[in-house]
Amino acid sequence: MSPDDDEALLVTCAASSQGEAAAIATVLVERRLAACVQAGPIESWYRWDGQVRHDPEIMLHIKTVRGRFAELCEAITALHSYDVPEIIATPIIEGAPTYLAWLREAVRD
């Protein structure tokens, strides 16, 4: 594993319902693809099929590391109901050292 593989990431993903969010979160944590997933309601406005749409969604905040991102992305895509699910990774550039150590340990095989 390269040092970059250990880089902490915050991944965001909007789900269509609480049930879908729970199913995705459970699989990600059970498979050690995510250390933690938080979910909460949001409202989204977006353009799809040439129309502006507005829908309630559940936003997932997923904590993982770069080395698990490809597998995490595959798992979300397989479980998600959307044709094009939002899967966006942002590096965590700072954090409490004890939390980041826990995060890295939680996603190790």
Side-chain angles (χ1 to χ4, degrees):
M1 179 149 94
S2 79
D4 287 345
D5 287 347
D6 218 22
E7 179 184 18
L9 300 177
L10 172 63
V11 178
T12 57
C13 176
S16 66
S17 67
Q18 187 64 44
E20 181 173 71
I24 291 169
T26 299
V27 167
L28 296 181
V29 174
E30 283 179 347
R31 293 184 187 172
R32 292 185 171 270
L33 300 175
C36 174
V37 180
Q38 297 164 315
I42 60 166
E43 301 240 353
S44 294
W45 287 259
Y46 58 98
R47 182 171 298 281
W48 187 255
D49 287 337
Q51 297 181 349
V52 174
R53 309 256 324 243
H54 169 238
D55 290 302
E57 295 182 295
I58 305 299
M59 180 59 74
L60 299 171
H61 292 264
I62 305 160
K63 275 68 77 176
T64 192
V65 294
R66 184 177 296 276
R68 303 296 271 165
F69 181 76
E71 286 178 87
L72 180 141
C73 195
E74 287 176 22
I76 291 172
T77 301
L79 295 164
H80 212 290
S81 62
Y82 294 171
D83 293 336
V84 182
E86 170 191 4
I87 307 171
I88 299 171
T90 304
I92 298 173
I93 58 171
E94 293 289 338
T98 53
Y99 179 82
L100 295 177
W102 168 82
L103 186 161
R104 290 178 179 107
E105 181 61 32
V107 296
R108 284 206 172 94
D109 282 329

